[in-house]
Amino acid sequence: MKPSDVDRIEHTAAEQQADAGGKPLLDVPQTAAAGVAMWIFVVVPPISLIAVVPFAWGWGLSALDFGMAVVSYLVSLAGLTVGYHRLFTHRSFKARRGLRIALAVAGSLGVEGSPVQWVANHRRHHAFADREGDPHSPWRYGTDTRALLKGLLHAHIGWMLKRELSNRARFAPDIAADPDLRLIGRLFGPLTAVSLLTPALVGGFVTGSWAGALTGFFWAGVIRMALLHHVTWSVNSICHVAGRRPFASRDKATNFWPLALLSFGESWHNSHHADPTGARHGVLPGQLDPAARLIWVFEKLHWAHDVRWPNSDRLSARLLPNPGALHGSSG
């Protein structure tokens, strides 16, 4: 394989579209109301996490709360990883309309933004990864310890607290043109309410008490959302600083194994940046990738097709010495 062919592995059609001139990086700034909402949903969950220990000491965590939290976490995480990321952003497979809608709704329940804005931000990240223009590179302030700590905070949470919006017309015109995804985007507010309040309604109904409603809202609503956010945000921050880099890439993305299961395989970030359109990110032996397995199930059910499973010959061109053998071409 020629070096020019290797470079094209990373530079996908979406990235080429994002790099195209004529349109600015940023859209019009967020409204003040949207900025306030962003602060609430970004800052309040971490504060709630800090409050977990004293809260749990006095109230406890019931099996119902735990079960609802696990189900809510898995549904919303699948929507973000399989839907928002691998399907809508990178087009690593094609899906029937019903599955596309279901994944978009599930991703919205993760409370990380509408499909079009999430995709625009992520495609911008890939187009300018760890360079000027990347919305959340931890290396933006420099490489010394103080600069990197500041950069990690920016990459993990700080970038979302600004009123900047990646230009959707430049980075996600296909998503903006999809009528189903436009509708789901307009319903983001109600879907957020469903995500947070459904556990409260179930908890109150099952236990017949306000206490059951409150603990359901806290554990399966707020705390579940906070954990999901920090896991996905860690891919932006930790997975560009700590971990291994078995593949050559234009950026500093890493594979960070401790987050593999909690992130549904998204923490195999170096592998992903080496082959962005691949449906499987964990391509080396022992790299668990639940999102890829779910795509494989959808393919077997004929709900998904044209899946871009990893190609060993293509990936081996970017493989650095001694990272281990590659997996085959299925999920």
Side-chain angles (χ1 to χ4, degrees), residues 185-247:
R186 289 196 294 269
L187 294 174
F188 179 70
L191 288 171
T192 296
V194 168
S195 178
L196 293 174
L197 296 180
T198 299
L201 293 174
V202 173
F205 178 78
V206 172
T207 65
S209 68
W210 286 106
L214 180 60
T215 58
F217 170 76
F218 183 76
W219 290 108
V222 176
I223 296 303
R224 176 268 309 173
M225 182 179 70
L227 177 61
L228 175 64
H229 284 179
H230 281 284
V231 168
T232 55
W233 297 344
S234 292
V235 177
N236 297 337
S237 56
I238 296 173
C239 293
H240 276 261
V241 174
R244 298 185 61 202
R245 300 187 70 241
F247 294 96

Side-chain angles (χ1 to χ4, degrees), residues 68-114:
M68 290 193 296
V70 169
V71 170
S72 299
Y73 184 90
L74 293 177
V75 169
S76 52
L77 181 61
L80 289 169
T81 59
V82 176
Y84 273 34
H85 191 200
R86 305 192 193 192
L87 174 59
F88 301 134
T89 301
H90 294 292
R91 307 165 187 162
S92 63
F93 66 99
K94 296 178 181 178
R96 290 189 174 186
R97 184 186 178 202
L99 179 59
R100 285 174 59 86
I101 292 173
L103 288 172
V105 170
S108 298
L109 297 177
V111 196
E112 293 193 4
S114 66

Side-chain angles (χ1 to χ4, degrees), residues 23-149:
K23 294 187 178 71
L25 286 182
L26 301 179
D27 213 330
V28 295
Q30 283 183 330
T31 63
V36 170
M38 179 66 77
W39 272 85
I40 291 173
F41 283 104
V42 169
V43 174
V44 171
I47 293 174
S48 299
L49 275 176
I50 295 172
V52 163
V53 173
F55 188 93
W57 188 265
W59 289 77
L61 174 64
S62 71
L64 175 62
D65 295 332
F66 181 77
M68 290 193 296
V70 169
V71 170
S72 299
Y73 184 90
L74 293 177
V75 169
S76 52
L77 181 61
L80 289 169
T81 59
V82 176
Y84 273 34
H85 191 200
R86 305 192 193 192
L87 174 59
F88 301 134
T89 301
H90 294 292
R91 307 165 187 162
S92 63
F93 66 99
K94 296 178 181 178
R96 290 189 174 186
R97 184 186 178 202
L99 179 59
R100 285 174 59 86
I101 292 173
L103 288 172
V105 170
S108 298
L109 297 177
V111 196
E112 293 193 4
S114 66
V116 66
Q117 195 60 60
W118 200 100
V119 169
N121 287 335
H122 196 70
R123 286 182 181 169
R124 180 181 159 203
H125 164 64
H126 272 267
F128 302 99
D130 291 323
R131 296 179 288 136
E132 184 69 28
D134 186 343
H136 46 63
S137 173
W139 301 95
R140 67 180 287 144
Y141 299 112
T143 58
D144 61 82
T145 301
R146 182 176 179 180
L148 187 54
L149 288 174

Side-chain angles (χ1 to χ4, degrees), residues 8 37 52 55 76 86 113 139 152 158 174 185 200 204 227 241-242 247 263 270 273 276-277 281 286 308:
R8 279 196 290 271
V52 163
F55 188 93
S76 52
R86 305 192 193 192
W139 301 95
L152 280 166
D174 54 322
L227 177 61
V241 174
F247 294 96
S263 69
N270 169 254
H273 273 250
T277 63
H281 296 179
R308 296 178 178 178

